[in-house]
Amino acid sequence: MKQRGENRFNSICFTDFEGRFLSRLAAVIPRFFGGAEETKLSGTSARYQCRVKVEYQKDLMGLLEEGMLLAVRNFRQAGQEEERFTLMEISRVWPEHFGLRGLSDHGYYPMQFEIIEQSEEDWQSDDKSTMMIQIDAIPINYDLVLDKNCDFEFVKGFSYPVVGSHVYLLNSDMINRMYNQKIAKKLGIDPSKTVDDARADPRLGLIKMFQASKTVIPIYVDFEKLVRYHFGVFAFTGGGKSNLMSNVLRRILLHTENTKVVIFDISCEYVFLLLDLLAEPTFQATVVLENRIDSLEQFFNSVVKPREYEVDERIKVGLQCIMDQGKLAYYKRPRGKVPTYNQFIEELTDQRRGVSDKPNYMNAIDEIHDVILEYMEEHGLMENQEVSEDFVKYIDEMAKAKVEEFKVHEKSGLYGWATTRNMLIDRIRKSREKDEKKDAGGLTVEKIRELLEDKKTRLVCISIADPYTIKDLVLTLTNDLLVRRKRKFQVKPYVLLVFDEAQEFIPSGASGIDAKCSGHVETLLRQGRKYGLGVCIATQRIAYLNTNALQQLHTYFVGTLPRPYDRALVSDTFMIDKGILEKTLEFAPGEWLLSSYIATGIENVPIFIKADNAENEIEKHLSITKSES
């Protein structure tokens, strides 16, 4: 097979690895045949799979990688002024030997061994008559349009490629422009001058392509869209999940103007992972721990550190800076909790159960409900605020009057509820007394929310290991933030709420406080983007998560997921082809499959990346603090 005819775009857009890559499109195979089972198993939005046949070169197998992009001419040509190519992503590459392919287990044994032995020598040659390289590729639903001036455009949609035509491989410069040109322009940076310093360069890492030639292609994302439209990080233990999270959060905080971050850190590891930022005097942040800390040794022992840093005394210098700068606090759990107006209304609504056959009871409940809403509207109150003493006195009087008016039986639950509202006054007074006696450094939910409303505060790291305590805090704080922003029609500043170990916060099929927490976070995911509230979720077991919440994510980072069910769920939920997804099983820690509907330079195209190591930033910080001390 000879690849005749030099394409005029070869040197600008494509590479053939110095004449090694000679290939043609052999087949376009339909993926869906109308069967529900076939659609379910495919897990992809591509309707076709393409087979590419490549002339064998002994060096070529070391140069080709899954994730590289191929271009094939399609039938939508517009004449001589431009050429149009269907883009495909390599999902599988393998060499094929003609002799081995024809080998049968039923053949004469010495002959089988002779053929196998001969094939070893053949692989070291360039014998094109005996060997071939096969490629499976998935259309990414984009066309590359190139005009006579070599200007390019990516057009959304699938065009049927011309079977038998030449297949071209996009070069590193084209890949860089494809993924980074729009975002680099928005960020005001030059991708050709990329470095792994988080403060100097907002890149997340490098694209895993052309590694054999040591070509460096950075990967950038639109931080505003990443935050506002939610993202997820999924990988098994040891895949570098927390490292990537801290890497992304560090760059968001360093390279956006006023985006705020709240981390619900149930594993208590982000104090170390973001130590360089937290210890910086000019960076406004607060660390909220589960209990009061009275000494540096206590603080050091409460922070979870990677194994190689567990006894590193240099960390104490950074922790001491956090304490000296007044950035350390602890969470004040609510005691004798005063209900909010919303909870007050929910209590009244619960009284409807079992009284639907008693119109007078229903009328009484409706009247009391209207009175509550009128009072709130008249005084400008919000549902998430705690009820006041004046409100309780007013409603106690009105509720008693309504149950008398509608002849509610004095032994009924509704009568008992309506005539005991004044008992809340004692609870309100005791709560007020406790607030006045609170120790300095203790933060309530209200004070944490006030921190987020403070223009200077950028980061709040809530490191609480007790599941019930942190879930209760999530319920109150997320509801408070969402309700306030709805009332004010507020969008900025953006607030990113980070849920590490997300299976604790949005489990599927849960009950009790787990179900409430899952429902609240799901509501936040559904409605938050309208009000500038973004969510990041990270977990090692995606199968345990609320799938309604997962479907709200617009960007996702997928690492190694050994369990087939987890990979199947990712494939089905995010429409990633299983052939692409299986590549993640080969990932080393820090390697990820990135895909986004909105935050990357080109939408919904899986990209294999190698993330920068967050521990490098920590090590630089620790080295500086050691030299200064």
PDB file of all heavy atoms in Angstrom, residues 351-359 361-362:
ATOM      1  N   GLN A 351     -48.779  17.925  60.355  1.00  0.00           N
ATOM      2  CA  GLN A 351     -50.055  17.734  61.048  1.00  0.00           C
ATOM      3  C   GLN A 351     -51.190  17.357  60.083  1.00  0.00           C
ATOM      4  O   GLN A 351     -52.261  16.925  60.518  1.00  0.00           O
ATOM      5  CB  GLN A 351     -50.446  19.025  61.798  1.00  0.00           C
ATOM      6  CG  GLN A 351     -49.466  19.442  62.894  1.00  0.00           C
ATOM      7  CD  GLN A 351     -49.329  18.382  63.969  1.00  0.00           C
ATOM      8  OE1 GLN A 351     -50.310  17.737  64.357  1.00  0.00           O
ATOM      9  NE2 GLN A 351     -48.107  18.198  64.456  1.00  0.00           N
ATOM     10  N   ARG A 352     -50.941  17.470  58.778  1.00  0.00           N
ATOM     11  CA  ARG A 352     -51.965  17.093  57.794  1.00  0.00           C
ATOM     12  C   ARG A 352     -52.160  15.577  57.715  1.00  0.00           C
ATOM     13  O   ARG A 352     -53.200  15.114  57.280  1.00  0.00           O
ATOM     14  CB  ARG A 352     -51.577  17.604  56.400  1.00  0.00           C
ATOM     15  CG  ARG A 352     -51.632  19.117  56.259  1.00  0.00           C
ATOM     16  CD  ARG A 352     -51.208  19.520  54.849  1.00  0.00           C
ATOM     17  NE  ARG A 352     -51.306  20.955  54.659  1.00  0.00           N
ATOM     18  CZ  ARG A 352     -52.407  21.602  54.259  1.00  0.00           C
ATOM     19  NH1 ARG A 352     -53.518  20.901  54.013  1.00  0.00           N
ATOM     20  NH2 ARG A 352     -52.420  22.908  54.110  1.00  0.00           N
ATOM     21  N   ARG A 353     -51.152  14.848  58.125  1.00  0.00           N
ATOM     22  CA  ARG A 353     -51.227  13.398  58.003  1.00  0.00           C
ATOM     23  C   ARG A 353     -52.356  12.840  58.872  1.00  0.00           C
ATOM     24  O   ARG A 353     -52.427  13.112  60.073  1.00  0.00           O
ATOM     25  CB  ARG A 353     -49.899  12.760  58.426  1.00  0.00           C
ATOM     26  CG  ARG A 353     -48.742  13.141  57.519  1.00  0.00           C
ATOM     27  CD  ARG A 353     -47.432  12.634  58.052  1.00  0.00           C
ATOM     28  NE  ARG A 353     -46.300  13.106  57.245  1.00  0.00           N
ATOM     29  CZ  ARG A 353     -45.031  12.985  57.609  1.00  0.00           C
ATOM     30  NH1 ARG A 353     -44.732  12.405  58.766  1.00  0.00           N
ATOM     31  NH2 ARG A 353     -44.078  13.432  56.828  1.00  0.00           N
ATOM     32  N   GLY A 354     -53.201  12.083  58.264  1.00  0.00           N
ATOM     33  CA  GLY A 354     -54.280  11.417  58.997  1.00  0.00           C
ATOM     34  C   GLY A 354     -55.499  12.274  59.268  1.00  0.00           C
ATOM     35  O   GLY A 354     -56.433  11.823  59.939  1.00  0.00           O
ATOM     36  N   VAL A 355     -55.519  13.534  58.765  1.00  0.00           N
ATOM     37  CA  VAL A 355     -56.690  14.383  59.041  1.00  0.00           C
ATOM     38  C   VAL A 355     -57.352  14.835  57.735  1.00  0.00           C
ATOM     39  O   VAL A 355     -58.141  15.779  57.739  1.00  0.00           O
ATOM     40  CB  VAL A 355     -56.297  15.611  59.896  1.00  0.00           C
ATOM     41  CG1 VAL A 355     -55.767  15.182  61.247  1.00  0.00           C
ATOM     42  CG2 VAL A 355     -55.281  16.497  59.165  1.00  0.00           C
ATOM     43  N   SER A 356     -57.037  14.166  56.627  1.00  0.00           N
ATOM     44  CA  SER A 356     -57.608  14.579  55.348  1.00  0.00           C
ATOM     45  C   SER A 356     -59.130  14.396  55.306  1.00  0.00           C
ATOM     46  O   SER A 356     -59.812  15.014  54.489  1.00  0.00           O
ATOM     47  CB  SER A 356     -56.975  13.771  54.201  1.00  0.00           C
ATOM     48  OG  SER A 356     -57.149  12.382  54.431  1.00  0.00           O
ATOM     49  N   ASP A 357     -59.661  13.559  56.224  1.00  0.00           N
ATOM     50  CA  ASP A 357     -61.113  13.346  56.269  1.00  0.00           C
ATOM     51  C   ASP A 357     -61.797  14.309  57.246  1.00  0.00           C
ATOM     52  O   ASP A 357     -62.982  14.167  57.532  1.00  0.00           O
ATOM     53  CB  ASP A 357     -61.414  11.902  56.673  1.00  0.00           C
ATOM     54  CG  ASP A 357     -60.799  11.529  58.012  1.00  0.00           C
ATOM     55  OD1 ASP A 357     -59.827  12.222  58.442  1.00  0.00           O
ATOM     56  OD2 ASP A 357     -61.257  10.558  58.635  1.00  0.00           O
ATOM     57  N   LYS A 358     -61.038  15.290  57.765  1.00  0.00           N
ATOM     58  CA  LYS A 358     -61.582  16.262  58.709  1.00  0.00           C
ATOM     59  C   LYS A 358     -61.364  17.667  58.144  1.00  0.00           C
ATOM     60  O   LYS A 358     -60.316  18.283  58.363  1.00  0.00           O
ATOM     61  CB  LYS A 358     -60.898  16.132  60.067  1.00  0.00           C
ATOM     62  CG  LYS A 358     -61.106  14.738  60.705  1.00  0.00           C
ATOM     63  CD  LYS A 358     -60.330  14.618  62.002  1.00  0.00           C
ATOM     64  CE  LYS A 358     -60.512  13.219  62.615  1.00  0.00           C
ATOM     65  NZ  LYS A 358     -59.707  13.050  63.836  1.00  0.00           N
ATOM     66  N   PRO A 359     -62.353  18.178  57.413  1.00  0.00           N
ATOM     67  CA  PRO A 359     -62.194  19.483  56.757  1.00  0.00           C
ATOM     68  C   PRO A 359     -61.876  20.613  57.725  1.00  0.00           C
ATOM     69  O   PRO A 359     -61.122  21.533  57.378  1.00  0.00           O
ATOM     70  CB  PRO A 359     -63.552  19.699  56.075  1.00  0.00           C
ATOM     71  CG  PRO A 359     -64.132  18.334  55.926  1.00  0.00           C
ATOM     72  CD  PRO A 359     -63.637  17.557  57.103  1.00  0.00           C
ATOM     73  N   TYR A 361     -60.087  20.509  60.437  1.00  0.00           N
ATOM     74  CA  TYR A 361     -58.667  20.459  60.776  1.00  0.00           C
ATOM     75  C   TYR A 361     -57.825  21.024  59.627  1.00  0.00           C
ATOM     76  O   TYR A 361     -56.888  21.806  59.845  1.00  0.00           O
ATOM     77  CB  TYR A 361     -58.246  19.013  61.048  1.00  0.00           C
ATOM     78  CG  TYR A 361     -58.652  18.472  62.399  1.00  0.00           C
ATOM     79  CD1 TYR A 361     -59.958  18.622  62.870  1.00  0.00           C
ATOM     80  CD2 TYR A 361     -57.745  17.799  63.199  1.00  0.00           C
ATOM     81  CE1 TYR A 361     -60.346  18.117  64.112  1.00  0.00           C
ATOM     82  CE2 TYR A 361     -58.118  17.286  64.440  1.00  0.00           C
ATOM     83  CZ  TYR A 361     -59.424  17.447  64.890  1.00  0.00           C
ATOM     84  OH  TYR A 361     -59.795  16.953  66.110  1.00  0.00           O
ATOM     85  N   MET A 362     -58.186  20.629  58.401  1.00  0.00           N
ATOM     86  CA  MET A 362     -57.435  21.105  57.229  1.00  0.00           C
ATOM     87  C   MET A 362     -57.544  22.620  57.080  1.00  0.00           C
ATOM     88  O   MET A 362     -56.556  23.303  56.780  1.00  0.00           O
ATOM     89  CB  MET A 362     -57.968  20.420  55.972  1.00  0.00           C
ATOM     90  CG  MET A 362     -57.781  18.899  55.967  1.00  0.00           C
ATOM     91  SD  MET A 362     -56.055  18.401  55.843  1.00  0.00           S
ATOM     92  CE  MET A 362     -55.753  18.778  54.122  1.00  0.00           C
TER      93      MET A 362
END
